[in-house]
């Protein structure tokens, strides 16, 4: 399955609404997968625990994903 979970530049991911949409899309993408690794399963569990209305939690987890996967978000 190919999925686009975010379309834009990394600076746009510093904004809460874009971070929230990114995590919503990520959750939706994982929910469509039937065969995922244990690491992915752990990520899905963590994603499902995040209150997407909590901007601080959304920012923290988005930054965690970026730092551990692509080196971190640029700061404006």
């Amino acid at each position: 399955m190919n999925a686009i979970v975010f379309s834009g530049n990394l600076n746009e991911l510093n904004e809460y609404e874009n971070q929230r949409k990114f995590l919503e899309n990520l959750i939706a993408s994982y929910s469509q997968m039937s065969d995922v690794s244990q690491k992915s399963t752990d990520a899905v569990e963590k994603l499902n625990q995040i209150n997407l209305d909590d901007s601080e939690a959304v920012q923290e987890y988005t930054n965690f994903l970026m730092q551990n996967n692509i080196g971190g978000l640029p700061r404006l």
Side-chain angles (χ1 to χ4, degrees), residues 6 9-20 55 58-59 62-63 66 72-76:
F6 181 75
N9 68 54
L10 289 179
N11 286 328
E12 292 171 335
L13 257 181
N14 280 309
E15 299 169 12
Y16 165 68
E17 288 302 321
N18 291 332
Q19 293 169 345
R20 180 186 171 119
S55 62
V58 167
Q59 179 182 27
T62 300
N63 198 45
M66 295 302 109
L73 288 172
R75 291 290 154 214
L76 298 176

Side-chain angles (χ1 to χ4, degrees), residues 2-68:
N2 292 324
I4 296 174
V5 294
F6 181 75
S7 177
N9 68 54
L10 289 179
N11 286 328
E12 292 171 335
L13 257 181
N14 280 309
E15 299 169 12
Y16 165 68
E17 288 302 321
N18 291 332
Q19 293 169 345
R20 180 186 171 119
K21 187 68 176 163
F22 166 68
L23 294 182
E24 288 172 344
N25 291 342
L26 196 56
I27 291 167
S29 294
Y30 274 121
S31 71
Q32 296 175 21
M33 299 165 88
S34 59
D35 185 31
V36 296
S37 69
Q38 183 61 45
K39 183 177 180 181
S40 294
T41 300
D42 294 344
V44 171
E45 288 177 17
K46 177 67 176 170
L47 277 168
N48 288 328
Q49 294 173 4
I50 295 172
N51 175 359
L52 295 177
D53 293 323
D54 180 346
S55 62
E56 189 173 313
V58 167
Q59 179 182 27
E60 183 178 302
Y61 195 66
T62 300
N63 198 45
F64 167 79
L65 289 174
M66 295 302 109
Q67 285 179 344
N68 288 292

